[in-house]
Amino acid sequence: MAVGSKDLNPANLRGFEAERLAEELKKAKEELFNLRFQSATGQLENNMRLRAVKRDIARIYTVMRERELGITGTPEA
């Protein structure tokens, strides 16, 4: 089973507009920061969430790069 958020799977990400991808990326980075902070202070309860958020960020970057290279197109409006 894949690690990550269910709503951020590659098929769903490819259907997002560029602005929505940037917004999801910003939210994921903020969550990663908060999780790292919790980990450093010993308050983190679920260590697997760190891994899941990192993979979500990687998926978003992958979809953005695919569009940049023209591998996949932007979704139809």
Side-chain angles (χ1 to χ4, degrees), residues 5 7-8 13 16 19-35 49 52-54 56-57 60-61:
S5 302
D7 59 335
L8 293 181
L13 287 175
F16 290 170
E19 295 84 22
R20 175 93 188 271
L21 277 176
E23 179 183 319
E24 292 293 332
L25 180 63
K26 183 179 176 185
K27 285 195 292 187
K29 284 187 171 188
E30 287 176 7
E31 184 178 0
L32 182 61
F33 174 79
N34 290 332
L35 289 171
R49 187 67 189 144
V53 173
K54 286 180 185 178
D56 288 342
I57 292 171
I60 294 170
Y61 275 132

Side-chain angles (χ1 to χ4, degrees), residues 1-10 13 46-59:
M1 183 172 172
V3 175
S5 302
K6 295 205 181 271
D7 59 335
L8 293 181
N9 62 23
L13 287 175
N46 185 1
N47 292 334
M48 287 301 294
R49 187 67 189 144
L50 274 169
R51 184 177 182 185
V53 173
K54 286 180 185 178
R55 288 189 180 200
D56 288 342
I57 292 171
R59 284 188 190 105

